[in-house]
Amino acid sequence: MLQEYLRRIGLLLVGLLVSAIGITLMLQANIGLEPWSVLQQGIAKTFGITYGTAASIVGAAVIAIAYFCGESFGLGTLANIFVCPIFIDILLYLNWIPLFERFSTGLAALLIGMELLALGTWMYMKSTLGSGPRDALMVVLARKTHRTVGLCRAAVEVVIVFIGWRLGGQVGIGTIVAAVGVGSLFNLNFGLLRFNPALLHQENLPETLQRFRGRKTIT
C-alpha cells in the first residue's frame, strides 16, 4: 500500500509542478491573466504579499465554502492549495521565466502555459487524491443552483475578474483567450489521453486516513 501511495503522491507532485510552470508562464506572458489569476494578482498587489500566498488564501477560502456546502476534499486538494503556490513563488523568485515584452512572444507563452496547466491537471487528477478547490466549488454551485457546471463557472469567473481588476490584477486579451480556451484545451487533452475524470473516484481525506489505518484495502 505504501508503494502505491508513494507512486500516486509522486504523480500528484509532478502534476502540481507542471501546473505551476504553466501558471508562471501565463503570469509572465504579460498580456492579461486567466480569471482566477487576475483575482490572486490583485490580492497580492493590494496586500503586499506574494502571488503564491494570495493563491493559497483564495484556494483555502474556496474549499472552505465548498466544504460547508457539503463537498469533501482530499490530500490532493490540500496540496493544490498549499504546494502548487509554493512552486509558483519559487519559479517567480528564480526568474527562470522572464517577463515577456512583445505581444507575439507573450501570446506564445500564454498558450504553452495553458497546455502545461492542462497536462498538470491531468496528472494530479489521475492520482485520484482529491480534485482542485475550484472544481469542488463548481460542483457545489451546480448542485445548489440546479445549473450546469459550465454556466456556474462562467458566472463565477465574471465576478472574480471584476473584483481582481478593481484590486489591480492584469486584464487583457490573454484573459479572454484563457477564459475561452482553457476549458476547450482541457477537453482536447483529456480526449487525446482517453481520460474521463467523471469516471474516477477522487479519494477524500477520511478515506485516505482509513486506508492507512488498514480499514480498507487498495483494489
Side-chain angles (χ1 to χ4, degrees):
M1 183 179 76
L2 181 59
Q3 286 185 337
E4 173 65 12
Y5 262 91
L6 289 176
R7 184 193 67 79
R8 292 168 65 191
I9 289 172
L11 185 62
L12 168 69
L13 292 176
V14 172
L16 292 177
L17 177 58
V18 172
S19 296
I21 295 171
I23 292 169
T24 304
L25 273 166
M26 294 166 73
L27 288 169
Q28 298 296 81
N30 198 30
I31 59 170
L33 302 174
E34 60 89 20
W36 287 97
S37 292
V38 174
L39 175 63
Q40 288 157 186
Q41 188 187 67
I43 291 173
K45 286 184 175 181
T46 300
F47 296 100
I49 58 179
T50 67
Y51 176 89
T53 301
S56 290
I57 291 170
V58 170
V62 166
I63 200 59
I65 293 169
Y67 177 74
F68 285 115
C69 290
E71 192 67 20
S72 60
F73 63 91
L75 184 64
T77 313
L78 297 177
N80 191 295
I81 293 171
F82 299 109
V83 177
C84 189
I86 291 174
F87 286 155
I88 295 170
D89 274 350
I90 291 173
L91 289 167
L92 289 172
Y93 175 77
L94 293 174
N95 198 32
W96 287 345
I97 302 172
L99 186 69
F100 293 92
E101 300 295 340
R102 295 173 57 188
F103 176 80
S104 58
T105 54
L107 180 60
L110 177 71
L111 295 174
I112 294 170
M114 288 166 57
E115 173 61 21
L116 289 176
L117 179 60
L119 291 175
T121 301
W122 166 67
M123 283 186 247
Y124 82 68
M125 290 187 74
K126 195 175 179 181
S127 74
T128 63
L129 288 170
S131 59
R134 293 160 189 80
D135 298 325
L137 178 62
M138 295 308 114
V139 170
V140 165
L141 291 176
R143 186 171 63 238
K144 295 291 185 181
T145 62
H146 305 291
R147 298 292 188 271
T148 65
V149 171
L151 180 61
C152 292
R153 176 176 175 171
V156 169
E157 288 185 349
V158 168
V159 173
I160 64 173
V161 164
F162 178 76
I163 296 172
W165 171 67
R166 294 294 296 170
L167 291 174
Q170 186 186 45
V171 176
I173 187 65
T175 308
I176 299 172
V177 172
V180 174
V182 166
S184 299
L185 196 56
F186 273 44
N187 290 336
L188 175 62
N189 278 269
F190 289 177
L192 291 173
L193 293 165
R194 298 182 180 179
F195 175 70
N196 186 350
L199 299 179
L200 297 179
H201 170 67
Q202 295 293 336
E203 185 174 294
N204 59 43
L205 206 54
E207 288 173 335
T208 300
L209 295 174
Q210 286 175 346
R211 284 174 183 263
F212 272 103
R213 288 170 183 167
R215 296 179 185 175
K216 291 186 178 182
T217 58
I218 297 178
T219 58

